[in-house]
């Protein structure tokens, strides 16, 4: 493997994975803050307003890190993937430019007002601002997912004489069915992260016996949205995604499910480690015929295994893809269990006294981050060896003039910079949680 | 189509330089005009709610550039790999400097972020100027339309150029003094008392810096790229741009002397916009001139995206621009007037 190529990939993978830790909370929390503001206005209760103010503080810190780590993403298309940009700019330039015009301006113009202008705006005005911030972050998400969806499932384009692609149908690009399914799955994922984070902080306050009123509110809101989102993530959005992949990206589907051989009535693998030399799974635990049924609603439907595809089109890291997918699905299943049990206890009015469940809720917050990251790894590792599925291989997308040495210089720079950012972020968020929502009264 | 999208991108970049330019200028002067923690807090307040939106003009301009001229985006972003990455890191440091400073009420914490904010702003101003210098000077494009420049070589303009050479450093200094003065005029407009007095003095001093380095840069440009004058010979109406820039420069000096801060600020905005237009006018139709072989130059004609996409783009661009204008008018209206020292937080509300 060409060194510069490896470094370009590592740099993009690292910077985008680190970046996406922040927007997923931004987008999910924006929704929850709108809910809290709505409750505050409807119940005319300052308790919910203080809750919203507290979460707005964390939102502000999170948003700032999301913005600064997001800028390098747009730049890297050009810096490290110049041949890809030349090739695909005629299509994805649309969605990337539209994100700037329709999302970034909206978010950045109103963020300051939302975070610090409550007194000036009044309650209704502040509620509207929170909706604008919510819209901005969700619109931004759509344009980025639509960009990725085009790379997964190119539509609405034609080849130009110089070998690049250009857009022929705008509506096809914007309403790419892949984008709609990927977006709904992704946004529900963001809502899960925010729900778990909110419930986790609530559980911490209850266990630490401080700010317990706020703790209860956070748990109620977190679990209500978390329960709905945990179900929606599997059905219908996850189901829809998986069917799309099965229909259009056979190699990704076979590799992520650990299916080496084409067969009728394929089993659903729960556990097992892929061994590529022997083309089999070690110590597999699986449910017979379930994969065929889930994919085609027929128990004996045929599913293509890796053997049905030429080896040069296989994803280049099948084990990573397989684990990414299984970690995501496994965690998703656990999320449903956690949310159903918590919701039942909440309904029976026992949750706030059930310490073991509070401990589980408190410690659960990292796992949605892992699940979302693993899901994106499935999407992206599974797209390999293609950069644009079926049109351009990743190895042909790099910048011809950026050497491995210069690439490594910036990769190391990003590692150092993001380490500092991560430490600062944790320091500030932990401080905010420690100060607690009762100090979040309207001082601004 | 070519001229239209060239103008749109140039317009967005000019908006960026005028708007983010003043908050970069405030950053440059942060530790010079603001001498105590309270004074520096006041300075941050003058840009608190607006800096982020201003910076988005850079992102949006970048996105639009990618959309309209994909080949130019690919070539220049990979060729300017190192300076762009350094600019990214500086933008990050600067952003968190502003946003994290007020989160902990501790003198060491604040003083650390003051330095980070100011250091990043100074380097950014110089780098942006040097970047413009590189575009004006031309870069060693190969026949595939790509190039790579190290940060510096021998500081001579030819043959193996680096990002920094004597010419681009001069351009960096032009940008540095221009933004410093722009920021000083902004501070004078948004504050009163001792900060305003210091800002006016700084604006006056940096004005001489602009004058000196602009003259040097003008002569230097004529020496190394005489062809920038060709468009002016062919289309003399283009002289309106440098004349407008000159008017801005003169106006700036007169209004600073008279203490009319808002008019001085508007004059420095006029100066920036007109000088950028003058550069763009001389540069057209080149986007990136080749110092190797003129045939390798990337121009608006060979880099323009396909017409269907551009046709769709003009529709949503206008829509987006109308919306954005609305946000900015609302934002700046809700933030008008001078900053009072009694405001409780760093965002001027």
């Amino acid at each position: 493997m060409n060194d510069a190529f490896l470094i370009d990939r590592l740099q993009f993978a690292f910077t985008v994975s680190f970046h996406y830790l922040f927007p997923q909370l931004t987008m999910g929390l924006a929704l929850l803050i709108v809910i809290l503001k709505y409750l505050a206005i409807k119940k005319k209760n300052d308790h919910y307003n203080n809750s919203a103010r507290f979460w707005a503080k964390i939102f502000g810190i999170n948003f700032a890190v999301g913005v600064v780590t997001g800028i390098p993403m747009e730049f890297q298309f050009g810096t490290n993937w110049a041949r890809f940009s030349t090739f695909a700019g005629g299509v994805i330039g649309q969605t990337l430019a539209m994100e700037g015009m329709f999302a970034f301006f909206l978010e950045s113009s109103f963020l300051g007002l939302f975070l610090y202008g409550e007194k000036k705006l009044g309650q209704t005005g502040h509620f509207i601002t929170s909706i604008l911030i919510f819209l901005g972050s969700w619109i931004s998400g759509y344009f980025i997912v639509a960009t990725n969806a085009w790379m997964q499932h190119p539509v609405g384009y034609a080849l130009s004489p110089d070998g690049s692609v250009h857009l022929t149908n705008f509506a096809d690009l914007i309403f790419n069915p892949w984008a709609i399914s990927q977006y709904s799955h992704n946004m529900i994922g963001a809502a899960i992260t925010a729900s778990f984070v909110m419930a986790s902080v609530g559980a911490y306050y209850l266990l630490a016996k401080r700010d317990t009123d706020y703790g209860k509110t956070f748990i109620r809101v977190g679990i209500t949205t978390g329960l709905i989102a945990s179900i929606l993530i599997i059905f219908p959005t996850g189901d829809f995604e998986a069917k799309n992949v099965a229909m259009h990206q056979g190699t990704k589907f076979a590799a992520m499910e650990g299916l080496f051989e084409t067969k009728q009535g394929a089993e659903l693998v729960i556990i097992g480690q892929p061994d590529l030399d022997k083309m089999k799974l070690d110590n597999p635990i699986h449910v017979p015929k379930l994969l065929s049924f889930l994919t085609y609603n027929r128990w004996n439907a045929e599913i293509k295994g890796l053997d049905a595809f030429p080896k040069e089109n296989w994803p280049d890291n099948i084990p990573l893809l397989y684990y990414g997918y299984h970690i995501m699905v496994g965690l998703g299943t656990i999320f449903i269990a956690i949310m159903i049990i918590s919701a039942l206890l909440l309904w029976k009015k026992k949750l706030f006294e059930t310490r073991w469940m509070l401990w589980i809720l408190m410690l659960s917050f990292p796992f949605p981050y892992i699940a979302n990251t693993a899901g994106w790894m499935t999407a992206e590792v599974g797209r390999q060896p293609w950069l644009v599925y079926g049109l351009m291989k990743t190895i042909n997308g790099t910048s011809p003039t950026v050497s491995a040495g210069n690439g490594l210089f910036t990769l190391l720079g990003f590692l150092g910079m993001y380490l500092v950012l991560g430490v600062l972020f944790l320091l500030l968020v932990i401080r905010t949680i420690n100060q607690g929502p009762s100090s979040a009264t309207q001082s601004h | 189509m070519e001229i239209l999208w060239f103008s749109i991108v140039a317009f967005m970049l000019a908006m960026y330089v005028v708007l983010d330019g003043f908050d970069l200028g405030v950053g440059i002067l942060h530790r010079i005009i603001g001498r105590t923690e309270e004074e520096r807090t006041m300075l941050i307040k003058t840009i608190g709610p607006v800096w982020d939106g201003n910076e988005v003009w850079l992102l949006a301009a970048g996105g639009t550039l990618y959309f309209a001229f994909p080949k130019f985006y690919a070539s220049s972003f990979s060729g300017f790999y190192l300076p762009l990455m350094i600019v990214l890191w500086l933008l990050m440091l600067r952003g968190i400097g502003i946003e994290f400073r007020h989160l902990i009420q501790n003198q060491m914490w604040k003083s650390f972020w003051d330095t980070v904010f100011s250091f990043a702003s100074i380097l950014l101003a110089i780098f942006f100027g040097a970047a413009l210098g590189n575009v004006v000077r031309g870069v060693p494009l190969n026949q595939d339309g790509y190039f790579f420049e190290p940060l510096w070589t021998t500081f001579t303009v030819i043959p193996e150029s680096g990002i920094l050479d004597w010419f681009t450093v001069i351009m960096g200094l032009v940008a540095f003094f221009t933004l410093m003065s722009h920021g000083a005029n902004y501070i004078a407009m948004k504050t009163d008392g001792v900060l305003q007095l210091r800002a006016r003095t700084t604006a006056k001093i940096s004005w001489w810096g602009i004058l000196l380095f602009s003259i040097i840069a003008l002569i230097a440009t004529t020496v190394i790229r005489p062809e920038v004058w060709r468009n002016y010979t062919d289309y003399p109406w283009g002289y309106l741009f440098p004349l407008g820039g000159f008017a801005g420069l003169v106006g700036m000096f007169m209004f600073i002397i008279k203490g009319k801060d808002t008019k001085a600020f508007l004059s420095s905005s006029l100066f920036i916009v007109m000088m950028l237009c003058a550069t763009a006018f001389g540069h057209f139709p080149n986007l990136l001139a080749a110092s190797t072989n003129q045939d390798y130059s990337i121009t608006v004609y060979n880099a323009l995206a396909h017409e269907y996409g551009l046709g769709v783009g003009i529709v949503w661009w206008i829509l987006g621009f109308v919306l954005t204008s609305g946000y900015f008018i609302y934002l700046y209206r809700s933030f008008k007037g001078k900053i009072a020292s009694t405001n409780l937080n760093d965002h001027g509300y």
Side-chain angles (χ1 to χ4, degrees):
Chain A
M1 186 180 273
N2 179 342
D3 260 346
F5 174 56
L6 179 66
I7 288 166
D8 288 331
R9 283 183 73 184
L10 280 177
Q11 177 164 290
F12 203 92
F14 169 69
T15 49
V16 80
S17 305
F18 186 85
H19 168 62
Y20 193 60
L21 297 175
F22 302 94
Q24 57 180 294
L25 184 63
T26 296
M27 296 184 295
L29 208 47
L31 175 68
L32 297 188
I33 290 175
V34 169
I35 294 174
L36 287 172
K37 288 297 300 182
Y38 173 75
L39 289 173
I41 289 180
K42 197 175 159 223
K43 304 198 171 184
K44 294 195 171 51
N45 185 337
D46 221 35
H47 171 78
Y48 289 105
N49 253 334
N50 284 340
S51 304
R53 279 173 206 133
F54 169 75
W55 284 105
K57 275 190 193 175
I58 291 177
F59 182 89
I61 301 166
N62 189 67
F63 191 93
V65 183
V67 167
V68 298
T69 56
I71 303 173
M73 302 325 305
E74 183 183 320
F75 280 56
Q76 271 184 88
F77 288 115
T79 53
N80 295 70
W81 301 95
R83 284 185 294 166
F84 162 67
S85 291
T86 308
F87 172 75
V91 177
I92 62 169
Q94 294 272 351
T95 41
L96 288 174
M98 287 177 81
E99 183 186 24
M101 293 303 286
F102 292 103
F104 293 160
F105 277 125
L106 179 61
E107 286 178 303
S108 60
S109 304
F110 289 98
L111 184 74
L113 278 166
F114 168 65
L115 292 179
Y116 306 104
E118 185 176 347
K119 209 184 224 171
K120 189 179 187 114
L121 291 163
Q123 280 311 310
T124 317
H126 194 233
F127 177 55
I128 293 171
T129 323
S130 73
I131 293 176
L132 292 176
I133 294 293
F134 161 73
L135 280 178
S137 64
W138 281 53
I139 292 172
S140 171
Y142 190 77
F143 285 120
I144 281 302
V145 169
T147 307
N148 183 266
W150 187 82
M151 293 160 65
Q152 301 279 355
H153 183 60
V155 288
Y157 70 92
L159 280 172
S160 306
D162 65 354
S164 66
V165 290
H166 64 263
L167 189 68
T168 54
N169 191 322
F170 180 71
D172 281 358
L173 172 69
I174 294 295
F175 303 110
N176 186 347
W178 199 284
I180 292 164
S181 115
Q182 203 174 3
Y183 180 69
S184 26
H185 194 56
N186 186 65
M187 300 319 278
I188 303 284
I192 291 185
T193 296
S195 306
F196 270 87
V197 167
M198 190 173 275
S200 165
V201 172
Y204 163 68
Y205 286 145
L206 287 187
L207 287 169
K209 298 191 168 52
R210 49 166 292 193
D211 295 295
T212 47
D213 284 351
Y214 291 105
K216 289 174 182 170
T217 301
F218 298 166
I219 287 184
R220 274 193 210 104
V221 175
I223 286 179
T224 314
T225 47
L227 177 67
I228 299 169
S230 307
I231 293 168
L232 292 178
I233 199 81
I234 293 194
F235 191 86
T237 67
D239 179 55
F240 191 21
E241 273 273 271
K243 283 179 176 154
N244 259 340
V245 173
M247 201 185 314
H248 299 290
Q249 296 185 338
T251 45
K252 180 195 278 183
F253 192 72
M256 77 190 199
E257 298 284 2
L259 195 67
F260 289 101
E261 288 164 17
T262 305
K263 64 162 82 166
Q264 295 178 333
E267 66 276 10
L268 183 75
V269 176
I270 312 286
I271 287 175
Q273 303 82 255
D275 180 338
L276 286 175
D277 295 330
K278 295 181 184 145
M279 292 279 285
K280 71 176 192 60
L281 287 173
D282 291 337
N283 53 266
I285 296 180
H286 48 66
V287 186
K289 298 194 177 187
L290 188 57
L291 184 61
S292 286
F293 179 75
L294 288 177
T295 314
Y296 294 109
N297 299 328
R298 282 184 289 124
W299 293 103
N300 283 318
E302 181 186 88
I303 295 197
K304 286 202 170 101
L306 281 168
D307 62 353
F309 305 96
K311 212 165 182 175
E312 73 264 19
N313 286 346
W314 289 11
D316 55 5
N317 199 335
I318 290 171
L320 185 63
L321 167 59
Y322 168 88
Y323 289 125
Y325 176 66
H326 279 82
I327 288 171
M328 173 188 77
V329 173
L331 287 175
T333 315
I334 295 172
F335 297 158
I336 290 204
I338 293 180
M339 283 300 167
I340 288 182
I341 296 170
S342 309
L344 281 176
L345 287 168
L346 189 67
W347 183 51
K348 295 270 178 202
K349 302 199 188 325
K350 283 184 192 156
L351 179 60
F352 300 142
E353 288 76 42
T354 314
R355 288 178 59 88
W356 60 269
M357 194 65 228
L358 293 176
W359 271 96
I360 290 178
L361 281 176
M362 183 178 83
L363 296 175
S364 64
F365 76 88
F367 295 99
Y369 287 101
I370 296 173
N372 275 311
T373 308
W376 271 108
M377 279 171 69
T378 310
E380 298 300 273
V381 176
R383 196 189 59 227
Q384 307 303 325
W386 301 102
L387 184 45
V388 182
Y389 201 83
L391 289 181
M392 178 187 231
K393 291 225 164 148
T394 311
I395 192 146
N396 298 324
T398 52
S399 297
T401 54
V402 176
S403 67
N406 280 310
L408 187 59
F409 170 69
T410 58
L411 172 58
L412 293 173
F414 276 112
L415 284 169
M417 181 73 88
Y418 285 6
L419 179 71
V420 174
L421 273 180
V423 170
L424 282 169
F425 172 79
L426 287 176
L427 168 82
L428 290 168
V429 169
I430 290 171
R431 248 181 80 93
T432 311
I433 293 174
N434 244 332
Q435 286 168 347
S438 17
S439 70
T441 43
Q442 199 172 350
S443 61
H444 293 326
Chain B
M1 261 327 194
E2 291 87 359
I3 297 179
L4 177 69
W5 284 102
F6 182 82
S7 311
I8 286 179
V9 172
F11 165 77
M12 292 178 83
L13 282 172
M15 283 300 282
Y16 171 71
V17 180
V18 168
L19 291 174
D20 211 34
F22 75 70
D23 61 61
L24 278 165
V26 172
I28 294 171
L29 298 169
H30 188 60
R31 291 189 59 102
I32 301 168
I33 289 185
R35 306 217 172 126
T36 63
E37 192 185 305
E38 291 72 32
E39 285 172 3
R40 289 178 187 160
T41 303
M42 284 287 286
L43 290 178
I44 296 266
K45 279 182 195 176
T46 64
I47 60 169
V50 294
W51 78 269
D52 191 11
N54 294 345
E55 199 173 288
V56 168
W57 282 98
L58 179 66
L59 297 181
T64 308
L65 185 72
Y66 183 23
F67 160 76
F69 304 106
K71 207 176 289 172
F72 170 54
Y73 170 87
S75 172
S76 59
F77 276 45
S78 60
F80 295 134
Y81 186 80
L82 293 170
L84 269 177
M85 289 294 179
I86 293 171
V87 161
L88 285 177
W89 296 339
L90 292 169
L91 286 174
M92 283 184 188
L93 287 173
R94 184 168 179 275
I96 57 170
I98 301 172
E99 291 302 316
F100 284 2
R101 179 186 187 272
H102 69 106
L103 291 177
I104 298 181
Q105 299 303 321
N106 172 296
Q107 173 256 327
M108 279 176 70
W109 173 266
K110 291 195 172 191
S111 132
F112 173 73
W113 290 117
D114 283 336
T115 306
V116 168
F117 170 50
S118 174
F119 168 80
S121 301
I122 291 169
L123 284 185
L124 277 168
I126 295 174
F127 260 95
F128 284 139
L132 186 64
N134 272 275
V135 173
V136 170
R137 181 205 57 203
V139 293
L141 284 165
N142 64 26
Q143 57 184 2
D144 299 325
Y146 291 106
F147 70 100
F148 186 86
E149 279 191 316
L151 287 175
W152 61 79
T153 51
T154 53
F155 287 93
T156 49
V157 179
I158 40 167
E160 288 280 299
S161 55
I163 299 297
L164 297 176
D165 59 29
W166 65 265
F167 176 68
T168 59
V169 169
I170 288 172
M171 292 293 279
L173 290 170
V174 173
F176 174 76
F177 283 107
T178 305
L179 297 187
M180 189 197 244
S181 168
H182 195 47
N185 286 324
Y186 180 79
I187 295 171
M189 189 172 76
K190 292 294 281 185
T191 58
D192 41 28
V194 64
L195 286 177
Q196 188 182 38
L197 291 178
R198 280 184 208 145
R200 284 176 182 164
T201 313
T202 318
K204 229 175 289 176
I205 297 168
S206 44
W207 186 88
W208 290 103
I210 305 178
L211 186 69
L212 176 67
F213 284 100
S214 296
I215 293 172
I216 298 177
L218 193 66
I219 297 169
T221 308
T222 312
V223 172
I224 59 173
R225 276 191 64 82
E227 57 269 42
V228 295
W229 293 106
R230 195 185 302 149
N231 282 344
Y232 287 96
T233 321
D234 294 348
Y235 306 99
W237 59 267
Y239 281 109
L240 286 175
F241 295 129
L243 283 176
F246 184 70
L249 194 62
V250 174
M252 213 191 317
F253 190 76
M254 280 164 44
F255 291 126
I256 294 169
I257 298 282
K258 288 186 190 156
K260 301 211 162 149
D261 306 308
T262 307
K263 286 180 179 163
F265 176 73
L266 292 176
S267 301
S268 69
S269 305
L270 179 73
F271 172 69
I272 291 171
V273 171
M274 286 297 160
M275 291 321 278
L276 287 172
C277 287
T279 313
F281 183 82
H283 205 56
F284 188 88
N286 283 328
L287 291 167
L288 207 51
S291 57
T292 39
N293 177 342
Q294 233 180 359
D295 295 340
Y296 299 164
S297 292
I298 295 179
T299 67
V300 291
Y301 302 108
N302 64 26
L304 193 71
H306 193 265
E307 58 184 326
Y308 169 78
L310 294 173
V312 176
I314 196 68
V315 177
W316 59 248
W317 191 87
I318 290 172
L319 179 68
F321 178 67
V322 169
L323 285 171
T324 302
S325 308
Y327 309 150
F328 271 71
I329 289 168
Y330 179 76
L331 176 64
Y332 277 88
R333 274 204 175 171
S334 70
F335 184 61
K336 69 175 180 218
K338 287 188 190 291
I339 302 295
S341 51
T342 50
N343 288 19
L344 284 165
N345 62 67
D346 286 10
H347 285 254
Y349 289 120

